[in-house]
Amino acid sequence: MKKQWLKYLDRQAPRYTSYPSALRFDGSVDAALYSEKLRAVDLYEPLSIYVHIPFCRQLCWYCGCNMRVENNYDRVRAYVDALLDEICIVGGVVGGKGRIANVHFGGGTPNILVADDLACILDAIERELGLTDDARLAIELDPRLMRKGDARMLAELGFDRMSLGVQDFDIGVQWAINRMQRFEMVAECVSDMREAGVDDISFDLLYGLPKQTPQSFSDAIDKAISLAPDRFAVFGYAHLPRMIPRQRMICDDELPGVEMRAELAALADERLAAAGYLQIGFDHYARPGNALAAAMGEGRLHRNFQGFTDDVAETTIGFGASAISFVHGVYAQNDKDIGDYQRKIAARTLPVARGIMRTARDERCAAAITRLLCDFETDLGAMFELTPEAEQRRIDQALAALERDDVIRRRGAVLRINDGARSLCRVVAASIDPWAHTAQKATRETAKAV
Amino acid sequence: MAAIVETDQLSSRTGGARVGLCDICDIRGVSICQEFGPREMAQAESTMARRAVARKHAIMSEGEPNDSLFVVVDGSFLLSKYLEDGRRQVTGFIFKGDLMGVRPTDKSAYTAEALEDSLVCTFSHHYLNEVATSAPGVKDRLIARGQTEYHRAQDHIVLLGKKTADERVRSFFMLLAKSVGTDPGDGRIEAPLSMSRQDIADYLGLRLETLSRALATLKKIGFIEAISRNHVVMNI
Ligand code: SF4
């Protein structure tokens, strides 16, 4: 990392899993507007479905997700009932139109659900929205809850993409984040999945965790590589104890500093590249034969709420507390509070709490930023057409500074991130994002850019 | 069009009592040709071609131009289109007596592929427009006689709106009965099944396993009496 780049490491930048970022969501999107958009879904429009399961057995202290520790399955079951009702309400509005390309179960911990409940949810989706065998079914899994036979059960339900929350293998780090999972446990999980025929296994790793050192993290990466998953997602831990009280369990002084964070991130880059993984966007890695790598090769890489994806369906329908939908230019987010969510469902209303409607200008910013993050290159021409001059000047200045620091090269409206500087691409994205300054204050949605 | 294996252009012969293909056509009564008077019929025969389309071959391809109207004399077709994500969407089935290509186009919105060895009569829209100048409205009446790809698209919207898998599958078989069912005289209805289970599942927006379960249910309640890979007997 070049010396002049160090100053960027501490910058806050949105994660850009949506544009506009969820920070700008407000009450302007309600159930009425959302259902109007749902009604307009085309007969064969590709759809992506997201199902949020906001329960975990135990709290990880780094967690920034919308989740609740729940050990009473009756309450989980009540939530599943609400989900089924929500799917039914939405299905009634959509009226059989659309064609599902992907279903993603995220959390929380989706594998807290028993097989029957997962099957019920899939059946409801099939009944209400249509589900065919060529749809891809993905699920996030906590290896600590995977029992013998679970992988097979999930594969039989149709799940063909599984991602495991690995984070780190170092015992000291695991203690410091309250997430103990032995290497052998994860290894067994992977071998069960392979035996069940799953050929798309992903590991999530986290850097910037307490007690992590380059040595410990490099060991963890090597161990992870030895299990040969098909892809990796390597995220930087966002420590925001003021916003997220549960993170106060993590001692500030055990956290690696910004420079070490950058070193840890670079380590992951290096190790995974050496092991033959291709870098996808700025935080995903995939084996050359994997669908994600193919999408990147063909310029079809996209970004959605789950990160980088080969999913081309622009329209996403989210189910569950805090789930975000995106339908024809409108983001709609459900109530975050599980109780509020369930009450609205019980009243047979769509539980939309907030959202935003994209303007034509947002649309162009979104496209420019997506291409930048996916391809490390973007053309600002279309975006500038709708950008007021003063704003353009501000962007030009910011980009000139980045160019001086060797982060980017710019030729006219086309801008390219220099090879060594890819980890700074969210900083670059923020510099062309007219709204990024409103997001500069540290919140859940923004985090250290590296 | 490589897909068409055999072209049987009928030359108009003059004089003599001849039997044209149309005279022995068993869908003529229900089809487009009913609208033609003798003079038009003779003209039609001279400009019409009857083509055999081998199974799995396309007679119209998505994105390609088409300026022929097709009347399915025998066999059946699967209509499909590619979605942005590269998957194929089954959008409908075209049966014996149905019409396809009712509007000339530079870019067909779908592909029509023969599900079995089939026979179609093809009329050029150019010719039909000519006929229409001497017999106004004839083209519309022709088209109004049969089920067209537009009717089939409408069928699909209705089917996909059904709220249970059993209902969707049942409606599909009703459609099949209406389109190609025959009553052997005992109140039951028999129909050929030229499409695969996978085609049916895709069409109905169901997983194969769900289709199988629904078929089992319909059998249990007696709606379906017997079903094999390519044949079904129903009690409707
Ligand atoms: S498993 Fe995930 S969602 Fe659950 S507590 Fe841990 S980090 Fe949070």
Side-chain angles (χ1 to χ4, degrees):
Chain A
M1 172 141 306
K2 300 194 179 177
K3 235 176 67 220
Q4 70 266 32
W5 293 352
L6 295 178
K7 60 176 173 290
Y8 294 116
L9 297 181
D10 223 7
R11 295 255 174 110
Q12 307 286 332
R15 292 188 35 78
Y16 292 114
T17 50
S18 71
Y19 191 88
S21 111
L23 278 177
R24 277 176 61 202
F25 290 5
D26 58 26
S28 61
V29 173
D30 58 7
L33 178 58
Y34 179 48
S35 30
E36 184 189 316
K37 294 291 166 187
L38 282 176
R39 255 191 296 277
V41 166
D42 282 340
L43 187 54
Y44 305 126
E45 184 173 327
L47 301 179
S48 232
I49 303 296
Y50 176 76
V51 183
H52 191 69
I53 309 297
F55 304 110
C56 294
R57 280 288 162 71
Q58 201 184 14
L59 181 66
C60 310
W61 291 337
Y62 60 81
C63 179
C65 305
N66 180 37
M67 56 71 65
R68 179 174 94 194
V69 172
E70 186 56 84
N71 286 299
N72 175 346
Y73 200 77
D74 287 344
R75 285 198 284 265
V76 173
R77 180 61 234 191
Y79 178 80
V80 170
D81 283 338
L83 269 180
L84 298 177
D85 286 344
E86 186 188 11
I87 294 167
C88 184
I89 297 170
V90 168
V93 178
V94 176
K97 289 177 290 165
R99 171 110 189 257
I100 293 178
N102 286 277
V103 181
H104 186 107
F105 280 71
T109 304
N111 59 319
I112 208 164
L113 297 184
V114 298
D116 272 356
D117 285 336
L118 284 168
C120 275
I121 296 170
L122 288 173
D123 285 349
I125 291 172
E126 180 176 26
R127 197 172 57 234
E128 297 298 332
L129 297 160
L131 185 63
T132 45
D133 295 301
D134 53 9
R136 309 236 33 185
L137 269 47
I139 187 164
E140 297 170 6
L141 300 169
D142 183 338
R144 296 169 298 174
L145 300 187
M146 291 292 279
R147 291 152 313 172
K148 196 87 204 145
D150 279 0
R152 176 158 301 277
M153 169 277 282
L154 291 167
E156 276 166 10
L157 285 173
F159 290 99
D160 49 9
R161 284 182 176 174
M162 301 187 186
S163 67
L164 283 176
V166 171
Q167 324 314 355
D168 194 322
F169 281 120
D170 185 86
I171 307 279
V173 175
Q174 291 190 352
W175 261 110
I177 58 175
N178 195 37
R179 185 172 175 125
M180 301 304 296
Q181 42 187 45
R182 286 175 309 115
F183 173 76
E184 293 73 20
M185 170 200 273
V186 177
E188 207 167 305
C189 214
V190 170
S191 91
D192 283 355
M193 288 174 183
R194 292 296 186 204
E195 229 166 83
V198 181
D199 63 1
D200 199 339
I201 299 176
S202 175
F203 280 7
D204 285 355
L205 297 180
L206 266 181
Y207 66 84
L209 291 175
K211 299 223 156 124
Q212 249 171 2
T213 65
Q215 186 54 50
S216 78
F217 195 50
S218 123
D219 284 352
I221 297 170
D222 289 346
K223 280 187 175 158
I225 290 172
S226 76
L227 298 177
D230 303 282
R231 23 172 152 177
F232 280 92
V234 183
F235 301 120
Y237 163 55
H239 189 57
L240 304 164
R242 270 192 306 272
M243 305 290 312
I244 306 169
R246 52 174 90 125
Q247 292 185 343
R248 288 177 202 154
M249 300 296 287
I250 290 176
C251 308
D252 292 20
D253 52 8
E254 285 181 352
L255 289 168
V258 275
E259 282 183 42
M260 196 195 284
R261 278 175 70 95
E263 197 182 328
L264 295 171
L267 203 65
D269 268 5
E270 241 166 66
R271 279 301 151 85
L272 292 173
Y277 290 88
L278 298 173
Q279 190 177 358
I280 314 286
F282 58 83
D283 57 7
H284 285 44
Y285 305 81
R287 283 186 165 173
N290 186 269
L292 201 58
M296 182 179 70
E298 292 159 24
R300 288 188 288 107
L301 196 62
H302 280 271
R303 192 153 171 81
N304 65 10
F305 303 112
Q306 281 85 53
F308 292 100
T309 175
D310 55 331
D311 181 1
V312 300
E314 262 225 72
T315 301
T316 300
I317 300 180
F319 294 111
S322 76
I324 302 177
S325 303
F326 179 68
V327 184
H328 296 192
V330 163
Y331 285 102
Q333 180 168 35
N334 282 351
D335 283 274
K336 288 185 180 171
D337 181 85
I338 297 169
D340 290 345
Y341 166 78
Q342 287 175 324
R343 271 186 293 280
K344 285 202 189 165
I345 296 291
R348 305 289 300 169
T349 53
L350 285 170
V352 177
R354 53 193 205 126
I356 195 168
M357 192 159 162
R358 261 194 198 174
T359 63
R361 187 175 160 204
D362 289 337
E363 210 73 62
R364 297 195 182 182
C365 293
I369 289 175
T370 301
R371 282 349 303 164
L372 180 73
L373 299 181
C374 291
D375 311 335
F376 302 110
E377 181 174 297
T378 197
D379 187 333
L380 302 176
M383 183 183 108
F384 274 169
E385 279 169 24
L386 297 185
T387 308
E389 233 170 86
E391 188 68 49
Q392 260 186 56
R393 268 198 304 279
R394 191 198 60 78
I395 292 172
D396 283 338
Q397 276 165 17
L399 290 178
L402 286 165
E403 200 168 11
R404 269 196 308 278
D405 284 338
D406 234 4
V407 176
I408 58 163
R409 256 165 311 153
R410 185 173 173 191
R411 205 161 283 135
V414 177
L415 144 99
R416 178 152 192 92
I417 300 182
N418 290 327
D419 282 347
R422 291 184 167 190
S423 57
L424 297 176
C425 68
R426 279 167 55 208
V427 174
V428 181
S431 73
I432 62 170
D433 174 3
W435 291 92
H437 54 277
T438 62
Q440 289 298 331
K441 43 187 181 3
T443 63
R444 266 167 207 262
E445 278 83 12
T446 69
K448 283 197 176 54
V450 176
Chain B
M1 240 188 273
I4 288 154
V5 291
E6 175 194 318
T7 302
D8 187 5
Q9 179 77 42
L10 297 170
S11 55
S12 75
R13 280 168 272 170
T14 44
R18 58 162 199 90
V19 180
L21 265 188
C22 300
D23 296 321
I24 54 165
C25 174
D26 65 350
I27 63 156
R28 189 173 163 192
V30 296
S31 148
I32 170 171
C33 316
Q34 176 88 349
E35 284 300 326
F36 288 125
R39 195 172 57 87
E40 284 147 350
M41 199 64 226
Q43 247 182 316
E45 276 193 352
S46 71
T47 55
M48 176 204 88
R50 183 169 284 187
R51 289 167 169 176
V53 188
R55 178 169 172 265
K56 290 203 168 210
H57 282 90
I59 193 160
M60 278 195 277
S61 299
E62 186 175 357
E64 303 279 311
N66 172 57
D67 59 5
S68 297
L69 172 74
F70 302 101
V71 182
V72 180
V73 176
D74 199 15
S76 53
F77 288 80
L78 177 135
L79 304 181
S80 66
K81 61 187 289 165
Y82 280 95
L83 305 182
E84 296 132 70
D85 57 17
R87 293 182 303 161
R88 191 185 70 158
Q89 169 72 50
V90 176
T91 63
F93 299 101
I94 288 282
F95 301 104
K96 183 169 162 176
D98 290 356
L99 309 173
M100 295 182 284
V102 298
R103 281 173 214 155
T105 171
D106 292 340
K107 258 181 141 183
S108 173
Y110 56 87
T111 294
E113 174 193 315
L115 283 164
E116 56 198 308
D117 291 346
S118 301
L119 272 180
V120 297
C121 285
T122 78
F123 298 84
S124 91
H125 277 285
H126 179 72
Y127 163 71
L128 288 171
N129 292 337
E130 252 171 40
V131 175
T133 51
S134 57
V138 69
K139 187 174 166 183
D140 295 337
R141 285 203 307 282
L142 292 175
I143 290 166
R145 291 199 66 83
Q147 293 288 313
T148 69
E149 66 262 47
Y150 297 100
H151 295 94
R152 295 311 184 194
Q154 197 53 44
D155 288 344
H156 202 203
I157 296 173
V158 173
L159 270 178
L160 291 177
K162 305 261 177 205
K163 278 306 171 207
T164 68
D166 290 359
E167 239 183 283
R168 262 183 261 171
V169 176
R170 188 194 183 102
S171 305
F172 171 76
F173 280 96
M174 301 283 276
L175 189 82
L176 198 72
K178 211 171 89 197
S179 306
V180 284
T182 50
D183 182 350
D186 53 7
R188 293 178 309 173
I189 292 189
E190 289 187 20
L193 271 178
S194 54
M195 60 294 288
S196 70
R197 297 285 196 272
Q198 188 67 62
D199 291 339
I200 300 173
D202 284 353
Y203 178 62
L204 297 177
L206 298 175
R207 290 171 290 178
L208 207 50
E209 211 189 303
T210 311
L211 173 65
S212 305
R213 252 186 285 139
L215 288 175
T217 310
L218 292 178
K219 255 177 104 167
K220 210 160 100 200
I221 63 168
F223 175 84
I224 289 177
E225 192 172 293
I227 184 163
S228 69
R229 206 168 57 82
N230 46 26
H231 193 78
V232 59
V233 183
M234 293 165 270
N235 279 304
I236 295 183

